[in-house]
Amino acid sequence: MKAIEDNYIPLTEQLKKIFYLFTSQWLLEWDQQVNLPGAESCAKLRGAQIGALAETLHAASTEERIHTWLKALEKHHDALTPDQQVVVREARRDYDLKAKLPADFVAKKKKATSEAFHVWAEARKNNDYASFAPYLKRNIDLSLEESAYQEFKDNPYDYWIDQFDPGLDTQTVDRLFAELQEELVPLVRQVLESPQKTSSKIFKGFPVDTQRTFLKQVIEKIGFDFSRSRIDVALHPFCIGNPSECRITTRFHEDHPLDSLFSSIHEAGHGLYELGLPAEHEGTPLAQAVGSAVHESQSRLWENQVGRSRGFWKYWEPKYREAFKDELKDIDPETLYRAINAVDLNPIRVDSDELTYNLHIILRFTLEKQLFAGELDVNDLPEAWNSLTESLLGFTPPSDAQGCMQDIHWAWSCFGYFPSYCMGNMMAAQLWETANKALPHLEDDFAQGDFSAMLGWLRQNIHSQGKRYRTLELVEHVTGESLSPKALIRYLKERYLPLYN
Ligand code: ZN
């Protein structure tokens, strides 16, 4: 139909232009984290370039004609193909989200966030929460104002959840987390009280070059395509990507070789998702990830369900020992496997094990929700943080720097993101169960160094879908069941109870 073509073609051309601007911006950000020479002039230039590009990007994303094309297409909704319907639905969402925010508000919030970030970095260094509190309060107030612009009237926090995982809301997360918490708290206690102690701190002096070579072998074997990607060193591991290319980062420490190995598998999992999105639709929502929780399910599944399994290590252990002959000579196979699956209490979320990590997320979600509802005053945050840590994990953090100020998220006005990590874990476990029903030989494959069936299953069921389904619909579509913590609990019990009697 001509009326459709006349609007759909210019719309997708504009979406591709936005994609090119966006990916140029992330390339500059990648350069900032990975390659930037030390002189102040370089940081200044890169910051200015990113700022200029961000303005151009915002202007391109909020052009009035996008609204005109969308309105015309929405009138012919039933005559659109299913793919076109997805593009129109998601382009409408993106356009409205950006166009509803006044430019002066965006500028005001950006400036406030940047100030809060610098104050937080200093406050964390000095363990001085009081100096950060007013800036955190301002970040929350501005975020509440933003929810109001977006017309989230019933519960402003819903907007922040929906930002990262479209279609999810506070009530749903609340229900899922309550169910998880009920099972997880006693399970963690049971594992920690076990006389079978394990530790991940048994490694010493693993040469960085050998670590780099080994982990590249591992991620290449699981399917990470180095002809379209690279891995570099940065302060924090991250992944940026699309169907054409992908960049991941890691960091090395001679005494913590498993950190760089598992964070690389994790980031490669994100990368496999991006690289597996359908290239023929690049630049449109059909070639974009659903949201943060689905993204996290992809990284977690490779890192945990695959990477910490017996089958995986049956294949890799001889190669690991070959690479680190001297370093591993006093560590027997069972001690190594237990170190890979060690559980111990850590006040720091990012250093936590797979089991306790979820409780760190429930802690943040609970407090964030209360802060947004006005039920918790920012001045009372440290006390609330410490007492909730005590009831969930059974200890009190040694300081606010290692407690409520440890994460960058709130300083950076990144609210509503934490739940995605835990929802991703639930989803990973659910996908893992479903994949194993369809492909009962998966762990035997891993033991043979064959990861193609696993990747093929994810490609077919998750990656190739782009944004066709929203988070909860995708889970139902693939697993036949709604999102729930049950599979995660089953998986954690199966993995950890035998190790900890
Ligand atoms: Zn991740």
Side-chain angles (χ1 to χ4, degrees), residues 17-37:
K17 185 178 147 191
I18 294 169
F19 168 75
Y20 299 137
L21 288 169
F22 175 71
T23 46
S24 305
Q25 191 188 5
W26 70 234
L27 218 48
L28 288 174
E29 283 164 356
W30 170 84
D31 180 75
Q32 203 175 33
Q33 309 259 352
V34 170
N35 280 327
L36 202 70

Side-chain angles (χ1 to χ4, degrees), residues 237-239 266-267 270 292 295-297 299-300 303 417 421:
F238 64 88
C239 166
H266 178 101
E267 300 307 334
H270 283 303
S292 314
H295 230 303
E296 208 56 31
S297 77
S299 53
R300 293 285 173 168
E303 177 192 356
Y417 192 90
Y421 295 119

Side-chain angles (χ1 to χ4, degrees), residues 52-199:
L53 208 47
E55 265 177 44
T56 314
L57 180 60
H58 186 75
S61 313
T62 51
E63 274 183 35
E64 181 73 30
R65 47 193 196 137
I66 301 178
H67 174 64
T68 313
W69 294 321
L70 286 171
K71 228 164 82 183
L73 290 164
E74 283 158 354
K75 248 191 247 160
H76 297 289
H77 178 269
D78 293 344
L80 299 174
T81 66
D83 276 4
Q84 288 173 332
Q85 288 179 0
V86 173
V87 171
V88 168
R89 181 191 74 206
E90 295 300 324
R92 166 58 76 194
R93 173 183 156 91
D94 286 347
Y95 175 82
D96 284 352
L97 280 175
K98 293 194 181 84
K100 274 183 189 164
L101 294 180
D104 57 344
F105 172 78
V106 174
K108 183 170 79 173
K109 189 179 166 206
K110 208 168 159 191
K111 190 163 167 276
T113 299
S114 166
E115 279 173 18
F117 169 73
H118 291 290
V119 172
W120 163 78
E122 200 56 28
R124 189 170 78 149
K125 212 160 53 187
N126 303 323
N127 192 33
D128 174 19
Y129 176 76
S131 68
F132 174 54
Y135 292 85
L136 174 59
K137 166 105 175 64
R138 189 172 62 174
N139 278 357
I140 294 169
D141 289 344
L142 286 168
S143 299
L144 284 166
E145 199 179 331
E146 185 170 332
S147 328
Y149 283 122
Q150 302 290 359
E151 293 160 59
F152 274 74
K153 292 195 187 83
D154 294 346
N155 183 352
Y157 187 55
D158 280 347
Y159 164 65
W160 292 99
I161 303 265
D162 178 86
Q163 277 274 297
F164 298 107
D165 295 305
L168 274 165
D169 57 25
T170 317
Q171 214 186 351
T172 309
V173 179
D174 233 344
R175 178 175 53 78
L176 294 170
F177 281 9
E179 202 182 323
L180 178 63
Q181 184 181 330
E182 204 183 307
E183 295 270 349
L184 194 53
V185 171
L187 178 61
V188 167
R189 217 140 282 173
Q190 194 182 348
V191 165
L192 289 172
E193 281 163 9
S194 156
Q196 290 272 13
K197 296 289 173 223
T198 64
S199 175

Side-chain angles (χ1 to χ4, degrees), residues 305-306 309-312 337 432 436 439-448 495:
Q305 275 83 4
V306 179
S309 67
R310 294 261 183 205
F312 184 90
Y337 185 69
W432 174 243
N436 273 285
L439 307 162
H441 51 82
L442 276 176
E443 251 198 83
D444 298 331
D445 286 7
F446 301 164
Q448 304 295 319
R495 168 110 357 136

